[in-house]
Amino acid sequence: MRWPREVPELGWSRGGDRRVSVLAYGVGLGFRAVGERHCVGARGNVCPLGAVVPGRSTGGRCAECARLDRAHSVAADTMADDPRTYRVYLAWFGPGMVKVGITGEERGAARLREQGAVAFSWLGRGPLMAARRTEEVLRAALGVPDRIPYAKKRAVRGQLPGPEERAGAVAELYARAAALEGRGWPESLERLPLEVVDQVGVFGLDRAPDADADPAPGRSVREGGTAPGRSVREGGTAPVRAVQELVDGGVVAGRLVAAAGPDLHLAVADGSVVVLDTRLITGWDLTSVTRAAEATEATGSDVHVPLIDIGGGGVQGGLF
């Protein structure tokens, strides 16, 4: 899943055929997994082994393809001569969950949406190595991690404080970071003013699950266009379960009510909300399940894959 703009997109491929589906809140989405899960390859190249990969792997790659993919990433520090301008950001994911990171300036806030950052502010801009050095200085001085597991982000996503508290947390982190200017902060990094961007509305996290209910549940994914008008209501139902893995014949179907990072929040037949980490679907052959009713007839439920409690760590009775 990608976030090039303020709506999520799913990319699909079969052989040389590639397409993109723009997702919309309130619209039904459903599929059935078929066969085995195979490595997705690296950097646009097919895995030479056609390796089968574990269902619970969020990487979706065999060990060799994962190594090749990371070897050409900014995170691996193998692109020191990259001439592009980079930005340093301060991201807030929930109470006590903040991080410092960098992203290419031309990408805008796409990286923050991909990570599921609830609120953020830019801190500075400059050459790659200056941005990387600032990132390292801030991590050490402020005691913030370089990454936050998605499981932790999900655990707090349904119980976020109000917008003033969210903005205040980012502003406090910005003040602490700005105070370090001149103390290890590279001179080639230009400091940017505080401007808190709140993404709760973008992610649909302040919507009730029945907001904008799709009058035509036969539509599984909307091609093109953007999300429909949002009648945002406070107090959306917090998700309590997440898909642990897909299995051959397993069905996932529901109505998209929110999305953050790689996660889709799906309202399902029993009235609850289930989270699907889209990193788990890479490498699977998927067939369409266009109606929740079709999924229910086939499986007795509209979600028939292993689920796990969000924040609990235990599988809830196998298949649902």
Side-chain angles (χ1 to χ4, degrees):
M1 189 164 78
R2 303 183 307 159
W3 286 89
R5 293 174 294 279
E6 292 189 349
V7 289
E9 298 179 358
L10 278 177
W12 312 87
S13 65
R14 181 181 292 277
D17 181 27
R18 298 178 183 273
R19 64 186 179 90
V20 172
S21 299
V22 179
L23 305 183
Y25 299 137
V27 174
L29 184 151
F31 61 81
R32 179 182 287 106
V34 179
E36 295 180 309
R37 187 187 190 195
H38 292 89
C39 174
V40 297
R43 299 286 161 175
N45 298 306
V46 176
C47 174
L49 303 176
V52 174
V53 294
R56 298 182 186 183
S57 166
T58 54
R61 292 183 173 89
C62 67
E64 181 64 16
C65 286
R67 184 186 66 79
L68 291 173
D69 187 70
R70 184 169 176 80
H72 297 281
S73 70
V74 172
D77 282 334
T78 58
M79 303 170 63
D81 58 347
D82 189 335
R84 295 175 296 171
T85 298
Y86 281 79
R87 287 198 174 200
V88 181
Y89 61 79
L90 306 171
W92 184 90
F93 299 90
M97 294 186 190
V98 295
K99 66 163 287 189
V100 178
I102 68 172
T103 185
E105 187 170 67
E106 77 281 359
R107 297 200 66 209
R111 180 64 176 153
L112 283 303
R113 294 189 290 270
E114 290 168 356
Q115 294 187 44
V118 175
F120 74 92
S121 176
W122 302 115
L123 178 66
R125 63 186 298 273
L128 171 60
M129 297 314 292
R132 178 67 81 198
R133 173 59 181 164
T134 302
E135 180 185 36
E136 294 172 351
V137 167
L138 295 179
R139 283 177 183 167
L142 303 181
V144 296
D146 61 347
R147 60 187 52 137
I148 298 174
Y150 279 103
K152 290 186 176 181
K153 298 176 188 178
R154 293 184 196 112
V156 302
R157 200 179 285 155
Q159 298 144 352
L160 296 173
E164 295 81 7
E165 186 173 340
R166 298 194 295 265
V170 177
E172 179 184 3
L173 182 61
Y174 179 94
R176 294 171 59 201
L180 296 171
E181 191 170 10
R183 291 187 285 165
W185 185 320
E187 293 183 0
S188 55
L189 191 90
E190 172 193 355
R191 180 150 68 95
L192 296 174
L194 171 67
E195 184 177 350
V196 179
V197 179
D198 194 296
Q199 303 198 112
V200 163
V202 171
F203 294 153
L205 297 176
D206 50 0
R207 297 163 44 90
D210 59 347
D212 292 334
D214 183 14
R219 294 184 297 169
S220 59
V221 175
R222 173 172 153 177
E223 296 282 350
T226 57
R230 301 169 185 166
S231 302
V232 176
R233 297 195 337 211
E234 296 294 332
T237 300
V240 295
R241 295 175 296 172
V243 172
Q244 187 177 43
E245 63 178 324
L246 301 187
V247 293
D248 182 24
V251 171
V252 176
R255 183 166 43 81
L256 183 64
V257 294
D263 292 348
L264 300 179
H265 293 211
L266 301 173
V268 296
D270 65 2
S272 67
V273 175
V274 171
V275 174
L276 169 65
D277 183 341
T278 55
R279 296 176 300 171
L280 295 175
I281 71 176
T282 59
W284 281 98
D285 282 337
L286 304 176
T287 60
S288 177
V289 174
T290 56
R291 299 180 65 94
E294 178 184 336
T296 302
E297 289 175 6
T299 67
S301 170
D302 50 359
V303 177
H304 194 68
V305 293
L307 299 177
I308 191 170
D309 292 339
I310 292 179
V315 177
Q316 294 195 347
L319 298 180
F320 279 72

